[in-house]
Amino acid sequence: MAVERPDAGAVPKSAADWGIKDLAILPGDVKKTRRLRSPKFEGLPADASTMFEQLSVTLEQVVGSNDLRPAWWLEEGAARSRAVCKIDASGVDYKGRSGTWSGSGFLVAPGILCTNHHVLNSKEVAVRSRALFDFAALPDGTVRQVSTFRLRPDLLFWTSPVVATDGKGGLDVTFVALEG
């Protein structure tokens, strides 16, 4: 049996992907992601193991709702985490207390950082703050190489407090420009 592959022409089935493309859930394929797909064994070569094909016992079972995710979901999460940063801040916080604190933020556009008002409540605090990207531990316990950027409230600074001046709820959000 042979399988046509655009990049290599006809190749023996045992050297091909064993039908993996039929089982794979590709990023963005929402319909396939939402339902479980049972494997198809008929396309496997004779030397492939099919030991589970004839089992009459269920070895695994989903309890409650199915929260399984495809493997690409982890890769996508890791890629998106690159837009997240730790913010080190100091000065007078949103409650009027002097000190130092940390918070988190994320890029919403090139050079524009979004965080909370309780993290960056003023231009004075923002100008003394820094954003640390890739701030994470590695599996061996060491810390990744961190990329540090200054904030540029002189270019962009917009904030909505935790509680608005009229006593009603604010948005607790701040947008600030990022150096670089």
Side-chain angles (χ1 to χ4, degrees), residues 40-164:
K40 300 173 186 171
F41 294 103
E42 62 270 1
L44 295 178
D47 59 343
S49 173
T50 57
M51 63 186 257
F52 298 111
E53 182 178 9
Q54 303 300 323
L55 282 179
S56 60
V57 180
T58 302
L59 298 177
E60 289 187 27
Q61 185 172 343
V62 174
V63 178
S65 63
N66 180 0
D67 61 355
L68 297 173
R69 298 290 181 259
W72 62 261
W73 188 80
L74 295 172
E75 294 173 6
E76 186 71 19
R80 290 180 186 216
S81 74
R82 301 205 25 96
V84 178
C85 68
K86 175 185 178 192
I87 299 171
D88 284 338
S90 64
V92 178
D93 72 8
Y94 77 106
K95 289 186 174 181
R97 303 172 297 194
S98 294
T100 61
W101 60 93
S102 296
S104 62
F106 56 95
L107 293 172
V108 293
I112 300 177
L113 186 69
C114 179
T115 188
N116 295 102
H117 176 83
H118 67 261
V119 177
L120 297 176
N121 61 306
S122 68
K123 286 183 177 183
E124 294 75 28
V125 169
V127 78
R128 287 191 298 270
S129 299
R130 59 190 184 139
L132 294 83
F133 287 85
D134 290 329
F135 187 84
L138 296 172
D140 65 1
T142 61
V143 179
R144 271 190 192 149
Q145 178 67 40
V146 176
S147 299
T148 305
F149 296 89
R150 288 183 29 222
L151 303 182
R152 296 289 311 271
D154 57 313
L155 299 177
L156 170 69
F157 186 85
W158 183 89
T159 193
S160 176
V162 177
V163 177

